Amino acid sequence: MRKLTLLASATAIACCGVAAYAADSDDPIVIPIHNWSSQIVMSNVVGQMYEEMGLNVEFVTTDSQAVYESVRLGDVALELEVWEGAFGASFREALSKGGLHDAGDHDAVTREDWWYPMWTKEACPGLPDWEALNECAEVFATAETGDKGRYLDGPVDWLKHGQERVEALGMDFVVVNAGSAAALWAEIGAAEAEKKPVVVFNWTPNFAEAVWPGEFVEFPAWEDGCDTDPAVGPNPEALYDCGNPATGYLKKAAWDGMEGKWPTAYCVLTKISFTNPQIAEMAKLVDTDELEPDEAAEEWLAANRSIVEPWMQSCSA
Ligand code: TMO
């Protein structure tokens, strides 16, 4: 009955009839939620799409690295934002163990790295070059970091290896991990009034690019193996002596059992492909407009029916 009611009320997919989704299990599709806004909103968007299709959905908050083990074991059904820079290594490791697979790329091109708001360049004109940044280390010094510069890295579970990079490249910086994404935005916001130079972890697509013009620091370019083979990168004895990929992927991942258990939901997952502006907008609805993630998802979906309906319809026949 629940499926019938929900489908009848979902005018957008009235074309497709109830039988279209009957093959999917009634068990909840468990969708993992992490600690940055676009991923939380995107997960709610897709959860709401599944609910429109009459499927049951459950959200669980999980660690953003451990989740690949959870997908592999089928404890969660999928992951909607596999960022190459932060999660490529955990994703590849889980792939090699088996149980999850690559469910396709989003259209979005991603970058995650050391970043500064543009006013920082006045104090350190050689930016964005990393060696110029290092020569300016003292302009980023705080009481906490002595004569070294402060770099505010992301929360520890994003595993950015900031400390390893500082050591591998011999930089005069102290790496401090933010407790949350919100702490990164607070650091930039607090520096803004006096145009204080700051360097923090940031990424794109994100809401921040519309609020604070800025640039990524240019480190030695990423090469495959920089995180596994010391010979890769400028320091022959160290890992992590490269920047993150400057044109990284954003993938979806699925539990191998998802297709058999929820064939329609799986089909929709493979069609989903969000763009940079769409993902930045998802983050903005929470980080700038201060909506709750489920409300942000409702608003995003209402404004983007023409994007999502074809994905749902193409899986209903
Ligand atoms: C994984 N993140 C987008 C926060 O860098």
Side-chain angles (χ1 to χ4, degrees):
M1 275 321 284
R2 173 140 193 275
K3 278 189 179 177
L4 266 171
T5 330
L6 280 166
L7 267 179
S9 66
T11 52
I13 49 172
C15 66
C16 311
V18 175
Y21 302 115
D24 289 49
S25 167
D26 284 334
D27 289 353
I29 301 169
V30 182
I31 300 179
I33 299 274
H34 309 305
N35 51 354
W36 66 97
S37 299
S38 69
Q39 196 274 347
I40 303 172
V41 175
M42 188 189 295
S43 296
N44 275 269
V45 163
V46 173
Q48 289 175 19
M49 286 163 58
Y50 286 163
E51 282 171 353
E52 276 186 30
M53 293 161 53
L55 302 170
N56 293 311
V57 171
E58 197 175 295
F59 298 103
V60 289
T61 299
T62 74
D63 178 277
S64 63
Q65 302 288 344
V67 72
Y68 296 96
E69 190 67 9
S70 306
V71 180
R72 199 174 77 70
L73 299 173
D75 294 339
V76 305
L78 54 85
E79 166 61 52
L80 286 161
E81 285 195 8
V82 186
W83 291 66
E84 180 173 7
F87 311 118
S90 294
F91 177 57
R92 285 190 296 273
E93 191 190 334
L95 273 178
S96 75
K97 290 186 187 164
L100 98 173
H101 61 272
D102 182 339
D105 285 23
H106 290 281
D107 175 79
V109 176
T110 65
R111 186 166 186 184
E112 310 159 73
D113 226 319
W114 296 40
W115 176 96
Y116 53 87
M118 210 53 100
W119 65 75
T120 298
K121 248 180 153 162
E122 287 157 32
C124 189
L127 286 169
D129 176 66
W130 75 271
E131 288 175 290
L133 173 73
N134 198 39
E135 275 156 30
C136 293
E138 71 277 11
V139 314
F140 300 94
T142 64
E144 183 190 8
T145 63
D147 55 4
K148 297 197 172 187
R150 167 182 161 94
Y151 167 60
L152 187 64
D153 207 345
V156 269
D157 67 303
W158 299 347
L159 280 187
K160 300 316 304 179
H161 302 284
Q163 187 60 42
E164 289 94 330
R165 190 183 302 176
V166 160
E167 285 164 19
L169 294 174
M171 296 177 75
D172 296 320
F173 274 82
V174 172
V175 177
V176 178
N177 281 104
S180 65
L184 299 170
W185 320 139
E187 180 105 343
I188 304 167
E192 191 171 12
E194 291 171 22
K195 303 282 185 273
K196 191 163 99 58
V198 284
V199 58
V200 304
F201 179 71
N202 196 356
W203 59 90
T204 185
N206 193 3
F207 81 99
E209 53 215 272
V211 180
W212 301 290
E215 291 174 339
F216 289 102
V217 176
E218 297 293 344
F219 281 96
W222 167 262
E223 294 172 67
D224 280 331
C226 190
D227 55 348
T228 52
D229 180 359
V232 176
N235 181 340
E237 276 152 30
L239 301 178
Y240 305 111
D241 48 340
C242 302
N244 285 309
T247 55
Y249 63 64
L250 186 67
K251 284 185 182 295
K252 304 156 289 175
W255 171 50
D256 285 351
M258 185 182 178
E259 182 172 13
K261 189 162 180 185
W262 299 283
T264 321
Y266 176 78
C267 173
V268 171
L269 176 67
T270 64
K271 307 285 177 197
I272 287 169
S273 171
F274 294 115
T275 64
N276 285 57
Q278 289 165 355
I279 294 168
E281 175 69 13
M282 291 178 196
K284 173 194 171 272
L285 290 167
V286 168
D287 289 320
T288 304
D289 301 348
E290 301 187 345
L291 297 181
E292 292 299 322
D294 59 330
E295 297 166 352
E298 273 171 38
E299 191 162 318
W300 192 95
L301 262 180
N304 290 277
R305 299 296 317 175
S306 64
I307 307 293
V308 301
E309 281 170 14
W311 299 336
M312 294 194 278
Q313 285 167 2
S314 69
C315 292
S316 66

